[in-house]
Amino acid sequence: MPRLSLYILSLFLLGQCGPDETISGYAGTGSRWDLVSLGEEAASGTITLEFPKTGRIAGTGPCGTYAGRQAAPYPWIEIRDLDAPPDDCAEITQQQRYLEALSAMTLSEVSGDALILTDETGREMIFQRASGSP
């Protein structure tokens, strides 16, 4: 019986070592993406989206850094638990708009140096891989 338990445990652990099936596995863990447009509007300033490790997102918005998590398998994306700086910034409206849009995204597509996020209404966020980013 102990051999069977060891075998089952081994299979379970091997299953946990599979490839990253979230967006970070396709966009590149450790990669940084710069926002190009949100809907019909070109991005103003530098707004970034990063995938520091499996299941995590981070970046820089108009008011500083933010972080969150996501675990949906590619091509879906479901962003949760966004943590952003306090509301004491001159660009807080732009920051809130960006984070609300990011939270609403449900589909993702990585095509070369482009990352396209889409929500249920068809609105897109387009990002470009930052130069030098993996």
Side-chain angles (χ1 to χ4, degrees), residues 1-9:
M1 192 60 131
R3 276 193 149 154
L4 180 60
S5 296
L6 184 59
Y7 177 73
I8 292 171
L9 178 62

Side-chain angles (χ1 to χ4, degrees), residues 48-113:
T48 67
L49 175 60
E50 300 174 32
F51 301 98
K53 62 183 182 178
T54 302
R56 301 297 302 172
I57 65 160
T60 303
C63 294
T65 61
Y66 66 90
R69 66 182 184 88
Q70 71 87 32
Y74 184 81
W76 295 278
I77 187 165
E78 184 178 344
I79 297 173
R80 298 182 181 174
D81 304 327
L82 276 176
D83 183 29
D87 300 343
D88 61 352
C89 160
E91 292 86 21
I92 192 62
T93 302
Q94 185 181 4
Q95 173 92 356
Q96 289 171 335
R97 185 171 165 258
Y98 169 72
L99 293 176
E100 286 171 5
L102 186 61
S103 295
M105 297 295 128
T106 57
L107 284 174
S108 61
E109 177 184 350
V110 177
S111 181
D113 288 336

